[in-house]
Amino acid sequence: MHRYIPNTESDVKEMLSDIGAKSINDLFVDIPEKIRFSGELNLEPSKSELEVTNILKKLGDENKSLDELVCFLGAGAYDHFVPTTVKHMASRSEFFTAYTPYQPEISQGTLRAIFEYQSLICELTGMDNTNASMYDGQTAVVEAAMMAVASSRKANKILVSKGLNPEARQVLNTYIQFRDIELEEISLVNGATNLDELKEKLSADVAGVIVQSPNFLGVIEDVKKASELVHETKAVLIDYVDPISLGILESPGNLGVDIVCGEAQSLGNGMNFGGPYIGFLASKSKYVRKLPGRVVGQSTDVDGKRAFVLTLQAREQHIRRYKATSNICSNQGLNALMSSIYMVTMGKEGLKEVAYQSMAKAHYAYDKLIASGKYKPAFEGQSFFKEFALIGQEKTSEVNERLLKNNVLGGYDLEKSYDIENGVLLAVTEKRTKDEIDNLVKLMEVK
């Protein structure tokens, strides 16, 4: 018997006999002989479980995790503290599967968890409704753009600020190739969205406008002013936000935003080497029927007891494919659950404290680096939350190599996406200590 394929030689002979084949090679007779591989594959001999474990461990040890490094890298993924309660609660057997139940109303626990998540996201963003979460922030912003177009009778153009995460803009560009949507970017002035250009480009053809605040470069945008401009032409304003920032910044709902989206990794989820992540998408009531995925509502059962139901689910399985939105069903339900547990654990005051500490420590690091004389602000006079952009005197890649040798994960190289020579984007969360920040400044000063 093969170690990993539990068929004995007699099993194989019996199966071949049943289908009328003499050998395994008879199964591939439809493949022309001249392109058919013959001989033995160049594979190493089979290995024992212990040998394979050792090989994989050796490969894994080549990585460096955030348990070994002090992280000042953000750019969309953040090293926030995750209380032990989050993983402990999410590891309970009741939550082992986040798969979409096909008879959802008998899975009251799953529906309740989603309902709690929805309630918390709505309260955080100041929106009226949200869905059961998205794959990630990038796909959330794509769906928001499609909601804006679907809500408009004729307009199909989306204006996108260059302050939106470059990866989100890439994903957006990929999706709209297959949709009747036109994208146009709005430039930046001193790191912020050019509102004069936005005003000029707004027209009856524009269905929606996407801004990010704090934007990718760390600058806090004038979302209220953008909202006033956008609504003059009855377009939809979409705001991509860092949910942690809402602990101390005004909620998008109070700034006139119509649709809010973003990446919720920082709410109780690890950085996970790039995935899985969790996007969120919330809107005002008038757009609820355009929301992709599922919306869980609260009702009562035949005995008058509190119960939860799938209220809306615009999926291909339930309505005509042409009218369906994206098929978001068995998404990152476990990540949404972890976000819910995190928000409940922290509470309003806890979230406020995380946001305040992140901002205070980021401003301390910024002031120290500017005072060193080796760095200057990339965007003079702009307000920022926990990320800020600086311009140094040497290449960011060289600085980051030096930092890594000292077990410090440096900032994002802004030359990659914004052509800012020697530009670096640094993120500081509540986890960083004064000693760690002082050490960063000391290492970055050296040339």
Side-chain angles (χ1 to χ4, degrees):
M1 187 188 304
H2 191 280
R3 180 175 174 82
Y4 303 112
I5 304 173
N7 297 325
T8 62
E9 285 188 19
S10 62
D11 289 337
V12 173
K13 281 181 182 176
E14 186 178 346
M15 286 189 284
L16 288 172
S17 174
D18 283 351
I19 61 175
K22 293 179 181 176
S23 70
I24 295 290
N25 287 333
D26 286 354
L27 303 178
F28 305 108
V29 291
D30 290 335
I31 301 173
E33 192 166 347
K34 64 180 179 181
I35 62 171
R36 205 187 309 164
F37 177 79
S38 60
E40 295 293 323
L41 292 172
N42 184 23
L43 296 176
E44 291 185 25
S46 61
K47 292 180 169 54
S48 69
E49 182 178 336
L50 180 59
E51 288 173 315
V52 172
T53 302
N54 288 337
I55 291 171
L56 293 176
K57 185 177 183 311
K58 191 175 178 183
L59 288 172
D61 287 345
E62 292 181 18
N63 290 321
K64 279 202 168 186
S65 75
L66 292 184
D67 293 332
E68 304 161 83
L69 301 172
V70 178
C71 180
F72 288 95
L73 179 61
Y78 301 97
D79 183 28
H80 283 288
F81 173 67
V82 180
T84 309
T85 311
V86 175
K87 286 186 179 176
H88 174 74
M89 293 300 293
S91 299
R92 289 178 62 93
S93 58
E94 299 96 306
F95 302 125
F96 272 7
T97 176
Y99 191 75
T100 299
Y102 278 87
Q103 291 178 299
E105 277 66 42
I106 64 171
S107 304
Q108 285 293 300
T110 300
L111 293 185
R112 176 169 181 167
I114 295 173
F115 185 82
E116 301 280 1
Y117 165 81
Q118 291 175 178
S119 303
L120 292 160
I121 289 293
C122 284
E123 190 164 345
L124 191 62
T125 58
M127 292 285 113
D128 300 320
N129 40 256
T130 184
N131 61 14
S133 83
M134 309 288 295
Y135 294 119
D136 53 28
Q138 285 82 0
T139 51
V141 75
V142 170
E143 300 290 349
M146 292 196 285
M147 283 174 65
V149 173
S151 302
S152 171
R153 290 187 177 178
K154 295 180 180 177
N156 70 337
K157 183 186 284 187
I158 297 290
L159 300 179
V160 186
S161 167
K162 283 190 176 178
L164 178 66
N165 187 315
E167 291 179 351
R169 281 185 281 141
Q170 285 178 11
V171 174
L172 196 56
N173 272 293
T174 301
Y175 268 66
I176 57 97
Q177 290 179 48
F178 307 100
R179 300 268 179 170
D180 184 25
I181 299 176
E182 183 183 348
L183 282 186
E184 190 170 345
E185 292 194 334
I186 304 294
S187 65
L188 302 176
V189 176
N190 194 27
T193 303
N194 186 337
L195 294 179
D196 291 334
E197 185 182 330
L198 172 61
K199 188 175 181 179
E200 286 174 12
K201 289 185 174 177
L202 280 167
S203 68
D205 294 336
V206 176
V209 175
I210 304 173
V211 296
Q212 177 176 337
S213 186
N215 69 22
F216 184 78
L217 297 165
V219 175
I220 297 174
E221 297 273 9
D222 189 346
V223 177
K224 193 170 181 59
K225 180 64 178 174
S227 168
E228 292 168 0
L229 293 174
V230 169
H231 291 145
E232 284 178 9
T233 58
K234 300 188 185 308
V236 173
L237 180 62
I238 300 163
D239 191 10
Y240 188 94
V241 300
D242 173 355
I244 292 292
S245 73
L246 300 182
I248 52 174
L249 297 183
E250 190 66 85
S251 74
N254 289 338
L255 296 173
V257 173
D258 300 297
I259 302 173
V260 183
C261 56
E263 175 55 59
Q265 170 269 322
S266 53
L267 296 176
N269 286 271
M271 297 174 82
N272 298 335
F273 285 99
Y277 277 12
I278 165 185
F280 62 93
L281 178 59
S283 73
K284 291 180 178 173
S285 289
K286 65 185 289 188
Y287 305 104
V288 67
R289 291 191 175 275
K290 306 298 179 188
L291 267 177
R294 301 160 294 163
V295 176
V296 173
Q298 181 177 278
S299 184
T300 53
D301 63 14
V302 291
D303 299 320
K305 295 177 182 174
R306 189 187 190 202
F308 302 94
V309 295
L310 273 190
T311 306
L312 291 172
Q313 44 178 342
R315 299 168 59 193
E316 294 94 328
Q317 292 156 305
H318 303 102
I319 62 176
R320 283 182 293 172
R321 180 177 294 273
Y322 180 76
K323 289 182 176 290
T325 53
S326 298
N327 185 10
I328 300 165
C329 42
S330 296
N331 59 330
Q332 272 78 347
L334 183 60
N335 299 72
L337 175 68
M338 292 177 77
S339 290
S340 304
I341 297 170
Y342 175 84
M343 287 187 275
V344 170
T345 301
M346 303 304 285
K348 283 185 180 179
E349 291 305 314
L351 278 175
K352 185 177 176 182
E353 183 65 21
V354 170
Y356 174 77
Q357 284 201 30
S358 298
M359 186 180 72
K361 291 177 177 181
H363 280 257
Y364 174 77
Y366 174 89
D367 291 341
K368 293 280 284 184
L369 284 162
I370 297 297
S372 74
K374 301 285 185 181
Y375 291 88
K376 64 179 182 180
F379 311 112
E380 193 72 57
Q382 294 285 20
S383 299
F384 64 88
F385 172 53
K386 68 182 180 190
E387 280 185 294
F388 54 90
L390 299 176
I391 296 176
Q393 299 174 356
E394 58 183 320
K395 282 192 164 296
T396 299
S397 56
E398 293 173 0
V399 177
N400 283 343
E401 281 180 23
R402 187 166 67 242
L403 291 172
L404 197 56
K405 287 178 183 173
N406 289 276
N407 293 326
V408 175
L409 189 57
Y412 179 86
D413 188 347
L414 288 172
E415 206 162 342
K416 290 180 187 173
S417 308
Y418 289 91
D419 292 328
I420 300 175
E421 189 176 359
N422 298 344
V424 60
L425 181 70
L426 291 159
V428 186
T429 69
E430 82 284 6
K431 282 180 69 175
R432 301 288 70 85
T433 65
K434 181 177 179 295
D435 287 345
E436 289 171 343
I437 296 171
D438 289 342
N439 186 45
L440 171 81
V441 175
K442 182 181 170 185
L443 292 168
M444 288 183 71
E445 281 180 351
V446 178
K447 184 178 179 181

